[in-house]
Amino acid sequence: MLPQEVIRAKRDGQMLEPGHIAGFVQGLCNGTISEGQAAAFAMAIFFNGMSRNEAVALTLAMRDSGTVLDWSETAGGRPVVDKHSTGGIGDNVSLVLAPMLAACGAFVPMISGRGLGHTGGTLDKLDSIPGYTSQPGLGQFRKAASAAGCAIIGQTADLAPADKQLYAIRDVTATVESVPLITASILSKKLAAGLGSLVLDVKVGSGAFMATTEDARALASSLVSVANGAGLATSAILTDMDEPLAPVAGNSVEVLNAIGFLTGAERCARLRDVTMALGCELLCLSGLAVTAHDALQALEQSLKTGAAVECFARMTGALGGPADLVEKPGSYLEVAPLEVAVYPERAGYVSSIDGRQIGLAVIELGGGRKRPEDKIDHCVGLTRLAGRCEQVDRDHPLAIVHARDRTSADQAVERIRQAYTIAAEPPERRTAILQHLKADDI
Ligand code: URA
């Protein structure tokens, strides 16, 4: 079918055949389809959506546009698993969950992203470790994953290149916010990474891309349905992002927080709840645990025995980081020269937090990018972020700003004050886990 006929059919709300979708994706990669045609195709999908079969066909065609990794020789019989988050603030789950799963017998080749919009990126956080190679060649990736049971790296150019091309076009044609396009984009990369099972952390709230539970549920349903349709055992958990997940936001500060979690020096309850829920789901999906209770015990043991922090140390070491990073994180993770405490204008309880403003404060400090080519300042960020229901006053700040200079610190202080609403009474508590979504629920 001619590309313009494929676009016309989708424009008019018709169902596309898998072969037509595959042909279009091939054409995008070999240059026989123009950027204009790809943009029109994306816009037609934006307005008319896709059926589950169409979205599965698009996902598989994008997966097959590049290398599909095969871990059968490297994983040594261990189930190959991963988790994906739709992005949030203070979300360093990947840094702690990957080594915990590895310590429980899983093989975790995790392909992570950089910061997107106001949210932080796992890869940017790892880049604050001196020497860590976040974009290694396939050989080093395999070696590190084999040695540690987990390795967290960035997307390579040969994994789902059609997604890279289409994403760049969507980014400048107002077609990012389409559920089938987001679904195919995320899952094509996960399928190309050669996984056996996947759990999705779909965030809801002011610090997430999906502000409402309805929108988040629609995305989660699509992801779970299409992933399973493409042969990848997947479930999702909707989690609350109406406040930062950990009381820190930035790069070095989040790595420090993750190391503190793994060693037991500091374990915040919300980060723990979400990590455990995602881990239990994945251990059960992959067959490493029979019940959620067994899975929880295995994850707890991985922390208690030090096996998880050992996997983290092996992973960072194998990817070029310091051998004694977990023993002496303060010697390696750079700290910003200026620390400023942000106090509330009046004493009371935190009743709501605009998570997006917190993310923007980190970007303005230099911890995120304003333009794609910007370099990140890894040492800046926020710590001791007060959570919902917490009491704040002259002795208990909203946050500590870690800044490079006075001007950026003042700007962050202002943004943080705006992000927090203080009330005389504490609001009702909310749990971090909102809903589980399994293939059978859809
Ligand atoms: N993340 C992705 O990888 N793709 C999207 O389309 C949106 C978020």
Side-chain angles (χ1 to χ4, degrees):
M1 206 180 199
L2 285 171
Q4 54 268 49
E5 291 303 303
V6 176
I7 298 165
R8 180 193 294 270
K10 190 39 55 194
R11 182 200 68 186
D12 294 344
Q14 292 168 25
M15 207 74 93
L16 299 176
E17 296 293 327
H20 297 146
I21 294 173
F24 200 94
V25 171
Q26 268 166 21
L28 179 64
C29 293
N30 66 24
T32 54
I33 281 173
S34 70
E35 284 198 2
Q37 287 174 316
F41 185 57
M43 193 59 90
I45 294 170
F46 180 91
F47 280 117
N48 289 321
M50 276 188 143
S51 68
R52 179 200 197 220
N53 286 348
E54 286 177 308
V56 169
L58 181 62
T59 303
L60 293 175
M62 299 213 305
R63 173 198 70 183
D64 294 336
S65 65
T67 308
V68 178
L69 298 178
D70 177 358
W71 297 103
S72 48
E73 304 238 315
T74 323
R78 288 169 285 183
V80 184
V81 308
D82 194 5
K83 85 102 179 131
H84 177 83
S85 153
T86 56
I89 312 293
D91 174 8
N92 50 64
V93 170
S94 292
L95 299 181
V96 297
L97 183 57
M100 286 168 70
L101 290 167
C104 293
F107 185 80
V108 197
M110 192 178 269
I111 311 280
S112 287
R114 302 216 172 266
L116 188 67
H118 63 280
T119 67
T122 300
L123 224 51
D124 294 329
K125 294 170 199 174
L126 285 167
D127 278 342
S128 53
I129 301 172
Y132 191 92
T133 315
S134 58
Q135 309 268 185
L138 190 54
Q140 194 184 2
F141 182 32
R142 278 191 194 283
K143 240 175 150 173
S146 174
C150 61
I152 309 178
I153 68 154
Q155 196 191 348
T156 61
D158 47 0
L159 282 186
D163 172 61
K164 201 167 181 204
Q165 265 181 284
L166 190 57
Y167 194 91
I169 294 166
R170 288 167 57 210
D171 201 21
V172 293
T173 56
T175 49
V176 170
E177 303 92 338
S178 149
V179 166
L181 290 176
I182 294 173
T183 300
S185 171
I186 292 173
L187 293 179
S188 58
K189 289 174 283 204
K190 294 292 167 192
L191 286 159
L195 306 179
S197 34
L198 172 69
V199 67
L200 298 152
D201 179 5
V202 179
K203 307 261 182 219
V204 191
S206 65
F209 289 110
M210 297 290 169
T212 67
T213 311
E214 256 177 14
D215 287 348
R217 201 179 295 126
L219 177 59
S221 297
S222 167
L223 285 162
V224 170
S225 161
V226 172
N228 284 284
L232 177 57
T234 300
S235 49
I237 302 183
L238 265 59
T239 66
D240 176 65
M241 193 27 78
D242 261 334
E243 60 183 300
L245 189 57
V248 290
N251 295 290
S252 289
V253 291
E254 288 202 47
V255 176
L256 272 169
N257 185 257
I259 293 175
F261 186 97
L262 289 168
T263 59
E266 185 191 356
R267 261 177 217 152
C268 107
R270 281 166 55 81
L271 177 62
R272 186 191 175 282
D273 290 352
V274 171
T275 302
M276 292 302 188
L278 293 165
C280 284
E281 196 65 44
L282 215 36
L283 289 184
C284 291
L285 260 184
S286 64
L288 280 169
V290 178
T291 64
H293 178 261
D294 293 347
L296 186 60
Q297 277 202 324
L299 291 164
E300 273 169 355
Q301 277 298 106
S302 79
L303 292 173
K304 215 171 171 179
T305 58
V309 75
E310 174 63 35
C311 289
F312 181 86
R314 267 193 255 139
M315 171 186 83
T316 49
L319 286 166
D324 55 352
L325 174 70
V326 298
E327 287 85 20
K328 296 192 288 180
S331 307
Y332 297 106
L333 296 163
E334 202 192 343
V335 183
L338 198 62
E339 268 187 30
V340 183
V342 189
Y343 291 99
E345 266 148 18
R346 64 182 178 120
Y349 295 88
V350 176
S351 67
S352 74
I353 306 169
D354 184 341
R356 194 164 173 275
Q357 295 302 321
I358 303 285
L360 293 177
V362 175
I363 295 176
E364 283 170 353
L365 284 166
R369 296 177 186 82
K370 293 181 189 148
R371 291 167 307 172
E373 64 276 19
D374 282 353
K375 277 217 170 342
I376 291 229
D377 190 350
H378 291 101
C379 69
V380 301
L382 310 169
T383 57
R384 284 177 57 191
L385 282 158
R388 276 182 80 256
C389 306
E390 226 174 289
Q391 200 166 3
V392 287
D393 52 38
R394 278 192 196 179
D395 298 318
H396 299 93
L398 300 171
I400 308 286
V401 171
H402 300 259
R404 183 62 74 180
D405 54 50
R406 193 78 234 178
T407 313
S408 61
D410 288 347
Q411 207 176 4
V413 167
E414 202 39 51
R415 236 198 228 279
I416 288 160
R417 285 220 180 95
Q418 281 171 16
Y420 277 84
T421 307
I422 311 299
E425 299 295 327
E428 213 173 290
R429 286 199 182 270
R430 283 194 216 130
T431 57
I433 310 296
L434 303 177
Q435 193 183 342
H436 287 250
L437 211 79
K438 297 180 194 288
D440 295 345
D441 302 329
I442 294 161

